[in-house]
Each structure stands twice: as structure tokens, then as C-alpha cells.
Amino acid sequence: MAEVVAVIASTHHPFYYRASTSTGADRPPFADEWVRKVEAFRETLTKANPDVLVMVGSDHFHQLWLDNMPQFLIGKAPFYDANWYNEEREFGLPRMTVRGQEDLSAYVLREGLDAGFDLAFSNELRIDHSITCPIITLRPQNDLPIVPVYTNIFAPPLPQPKRFVQLGQTIRELVESWPSQQRVAIIGTGHLSLELGGPRQFGPHGPDPEFDRRAVEWIATGDLDGCLREVTLDSLHAPGNATHGFMDFMLMMGVAGEGRKADYVDTYDLFHTMEAYFTWYPNGGAP
Amino acid sequence: MPAPRLSEGAGMSKYLVNKFLFTVDRDPELVERYREDPQGTVAWWEAEHANRILNCHTGESSTWLAFDDTERAALAGHDYPALFALGAHPFLTLTLFIAMFERDHDEPLGFQLEYARRLAHESLPYPDIAT
């Protein structure tokens, strides 16, 4: 059976690419420390020596639209082109092409449907920065095939937080039952407190540092019970109007497992939002 | 935390406001056209594109979509605080308006911070964005 060699949860900050590649007067003062933290985080994936990446993210109204909106969708294609005109325009993100691990996509779809998740699928998916940001930060050589998993954290009505956790638990079980000898890393990105298009946007910190502190604690300690007790679809409006992206972190807590402390935790307090980086090694300790 | 508040206006065509923002934002020529001529672009789009189902030819267009007066005025006036109050999706509004107006500001994040200031009268619960 396949082995889950690392579980990684991260924020996806679309400005990292431009900040980390800019030079001279264009380079922001926070870039060097940000690069140092990302490179240390990257090492936690490199050390796990994965063959395949399952990548959880959320389309930002790029390919998925309100006339036909899935809640959970699996990409099943041999290739995924990536990044969109408005991401090039606003963030300077590059065009990319990522290989797909189509047999694992097929397995997750079939077994996921049979496990009670009515998953949508796409055979031609152009992925966006929710998946390319972690490729840029964690695997910039872009040499591994992926299985994209898209969740709806964006266009209400949304699934309940517990459903994200359950999907994470199911993805973990499915990857571990995949009849293959591949080493799989499961990577997901979301947000801590975040406001976009509202009065609290682009402040010197995330809109709700207290929520961020508690969220990092939930994730770092694997406190799924505590997190699920406090987090509801309504409660997530309070820390910032885009904070429903935190449910992708909850999905990754489901992948990592209840009570499972993260083996690597780092944060970086930036303008606009707090960056947060977590890695678990399911087989105990660093590989 | 209470549920989001009902948005202003009839709210019947919130989807259509989002569809305008979505289809303009993904087309570089339309972004410029909307920046330069908001009234004309909104009128043209409502007449020619509001009922177009994406990915379908015009023979299979919808028959019933139209802005209400408040929505049409908000779009034609580049009035993003009004769009927020109407429950337009804030990500769509922000992304498109950055594309149109960030260039007019010298300071990094100058437009984004002005945008926040112009919404400073808004408090929780925000207008409902569900469609």
C-alpha cells in the first residue's frame, strides 16, 4: 500500500512569489525573513522524499463558477495548466504546468464516492494559486505529479466544518489503502483570519490576531475537538470575511488525525494575514 | 455571531451582479472598457451578455436575467461600497477594482487601503453574499 510520508498545512500567500523574486528597491523589507522561513518549511517536505502530492486548495472563481458549483471536486487529468490572467495581473504569478497522478485520482474518486462523499470531478482543470503557491514554496522544481482536491470555502452555501474534517480523514484512509508503493505527501492550504473586499482588509496584521493565535494552537496540538466546538459557519464571519478558508486547515487536521501534534510549526506575522506552516510525519518524528 | 444580514435592495439579481464582475474581471479588454466607460459597459453587457449561459451558444441563452435599478446604478457608478452593501461577492469586487484603479495610486496598497476606508462604516454582520 501507499505510504503517507508527510502531511503539510499552510497558508497560501499569493504575494510570496513576487516578494521572494524581487530585487533592489522593489524588494520589500520582510522578504528575506519570509524566504528563510519558507525554505526551512520546504525542507520538511524534501526530507520526506515524496513521489506524489495530493494537494488540497480552493478555486477562487477561476474555473468553478456559480452556474455549476461543486462543494468538493477531484481533478483527474494527466496534466494541469496553472494560474490565471488575473493572478498574473495582480500577483505576478507565472504560468505553470503540473503533471497529474491520474490513477490515484481515479482511486480517490471511486473509493471516495463509496465512502459517502459525492465528489465532483474534472478532466480538464486549470488550477489556481491555492495549489500553485504551495508548489512554489514547497516544491519549486515542480517535478512531482499531483492529485488536486478543491473545496468550496468561497461561495455559500458551504459544507459544514465537520464535513471538511471528515473529508480529510477519508483522504488519509484512501491514500493509505491505495494499492501502490508510492510515497505520498498530502498538502493543503487555507487561511487564518482574513478579510478581502471589506473594511478590515490589508491591515498591518491579520484582521483578528486572537483568532490566529487560537487557530495556530488548535492546529499545532491537533485539537480537533476544541476547534470543532468553537468553529461554525457563522462564527467564521467574525475574524474576517474570508476566514472560511480556515476550513481547509480543518480538513488537514482531519488528515493528520485527532490529537496529533504537528512535528513542525512556524508562523510569520505579515501585513494582511498571518502566515502559518505545519508539518506532520505520520510515522513518528522526522524521517 | 449572528448570521449575515439581509443585503440591501431586492437581492433578486445578486447572482447577475457577480456574473458581471466575474466576466469582466477575466477579460483584459473588458477591464479597460469598464474602467473608461462604466455606464456604457454596463448597458452593453446587460443587453448582450447578462443572459448568456457561459459555455453555451446564444441560441441557448437564458430569458429572465436583469439588474434591478440599485444594482445597475452601483455598477455604472463604480460604487464598490454600494456593491458591498448589496451583497456582491467581495472577492470579485476587490479583484476587479484593484485591476482598474491600483494603477492610480503611488503608494503600495494605496488603493486597497482607500477601499478599506471607504467601507469603514460597515460593521458585523456584513451583508449576506449567498446566491
Side-chain angles (χ1 to χ4, degrees):
Chain A
M1 295 300 152
E3 183 183 358
V4 175
V5 294
V7 177
I8 293 185
S10 167
T11 42
H12 64 249
H13 203 315
F15 292 103
Y16 176 78
Y17 179 77
R18 184 181 275 159
S20 64
T21 54
S22 58
T23 56
D26 291 335
R27 191 170 177 87
F30 50 80
D32 289 347
E33 176 68 0
W34 200 1
V35 169
R36 190 192 67 72
K37 283 177 175 280
V38 163
E39 288 181 350
F41 186 37
R42 181 182 305 158
E43 185 61 22
T44 69
L45 176 66
T46 307
K47 277 196 304 194
N49 194 24
D51 303 312
V52 179
L53 308 177
V54 173
M55 308 223 43
V56 179
S58 299
D59 181 77
H60 298 66
F61 284 144
H62 285 123
Q63 186 162 339
L64 307 183
W65 174 238
L66 298 172
D67 62 355
N68 196 359
M69 179 58 72
Q71 300 294 359
F72 299 116
L73 177 142
I74 310 293
K76 179 185 175 293
F79 295 95
Y80 303 95
D81 290 304
N83 293 333
W84 294 73
Y85 145 67
N86 68 0
E87 297 172 304
E88 296 179 292
R89 184 185 73 199
E90 186 172 349
F91 312 129
L93 288 174
R95 299 265 167 139
M96 299 165 67
T97 303
V98 186
R99 278 189 299 136
Q101 185 75 35
E102 217 173 341
D103 54 351
L104 180 55
S105 290
Y107 186 81
V108 168
L109 275 167
R110 179 69 266 160
E111 298 296 320
L113 287 163
D114 294 346
F117 280 92
D118 297 330
L119 301 166
F121 64 92
S122 173
N123 294 144
E124 186 180 6
L125 188 65
R126 187 177 188 92
I127 54 180
D128 80 1
H129 73 269
S130 67
I131 288 179
T132 58
C133 285
I135 292 173
I136 288 165
T137 54
L138 291 163
R139 196 75 182 186
Q141 61 270 51
N142 184 22
D143 60 339
L144 297 179
I146 71 165
V147 172
V149 179
Y150 265 158
T151 69
N152 177 18
I153 50 90
F154 205 62
L158 309 178
Q160 294 288 345
K162 70 176 180 202
R163 201 63 178 149
F164 284 75
V165 173
Q166 289 166 349
L167 180 59
Q169 292 164 336
T170 299
I171 288 172
R172 170 74 178 268
E173 291 166 12
L174 296 184
V175 171
E176 288 182 331
S177 66
W178 181 36
S180 162
Q181 298 307 307
Q182 307 258 41
R183 298 168 61 83
V184 182
I186 305 175
I187 298 170
T189 68
H191 298 296
L192 302 181
S193 71
L194 180 64
E195 177 114 332
L196 292 171
R200 296 174 287 172
Q201 71 179 6
F202 290 97
H205 311 282
D208 190 340
E210 174 57 20
F211 175 85
D212 295 345
R213 187 192 64 74
R214 301 180 68 210
V216 168
E217 181 74 13
W218 287 325
I219 302 166
T221 60
D223 184 11
L224 261 177
D225 277 351
C227 184
L228 279 167
R229 262 199 311 277
E230 304 237 356
V231 171
T232 67
L233 288 175
D234 278 344
S235 80
L236 285 174
H237 290 290
N241 69 347
T243 309
H244 290 85
F246 180 65
M247 293 193 293
D248 280 336
F249 271 114
M250 296 179 73
L251 188 156
M252 295 311 298
M253 292 170 71
V255 175
E258 167 67 37
R260 187 66 171 78
K261 289 187 171 56
D263 295 296
Y264 180 91
V265 179
D266 197 13
T267 60
Y268 192 29
D269 192 14
L270 279 180
F271 75 95
H272 179 41
T273 179
M274 164 93 80
E275 285 283 274
Y277 309 130
F278 306 89
T279 301
W280 294 260
Y281 295 114
N283 298 321
Chain B
M1 181 68 206
R5 73 172 194 252
L6 292 179
S7 45
E8 294 169 15
M12 291 298 287
S13 35
K14 201 190 313 183
Y15 163 72
L16 190 62
V17 173
N18 287 339
K19 185 177 177 181
F20 176 87
L21 299 169
F22 172 75
T23 53
V24 173
D25 178 64
R26 60 208 283 114
D27 182 328
E29 287 176 28
L30 280 184
V31 170
E32 294 310 309
R33 184 169 170 181
Y34 182 44
R35 174 186 155 98
E36 297 306 322
D37 178 17
Q39 272 199 307
T41 306
V42 170
W44 164 81
W45 188 91
E46 188 174 8
E48 301 293 330
H49 286 273
N51 279 284
R52 184 87 183 260
I53 300 179
L54 306 179
N55 297 324
C56 295
H57 68 73
T58 51
E60 293 164 344
S61 287
S62 301
T63 57
W64 50 275
L65 290 153
F67 295 125
D68 70 26
D69 291 344
T70 314
E71 294 163 341
R72 193 179 297 111
L75 289 172
H78 282 163
D79 188 349
Y80 54 84
L83 292 170
F84 185 92
L86 288 165
H89 199 291
F91 184 89
L92 289 170
T93 314
L94 176 66
T95 302
L96 175 56
F97 278 72
I98 285 175
M100 291 194 294
F101 298 118
E102 186 179 37
R103 69 186 84 164
D104 298 335
H105 294 255
D106 294 329
E107 288 296 307
L109 300 180
F111 177 66
Q112 288 87 336
L113 294 172
E114 176 183 294
Y115 195 115
R117 278 194 299 276
R118 286 193 58 197
L119 287 167
H121 58 282
E122 290 283 356
S123 59
L124 294 171
Y126 292 167
D128 187 10
I129 64 166
T131 48

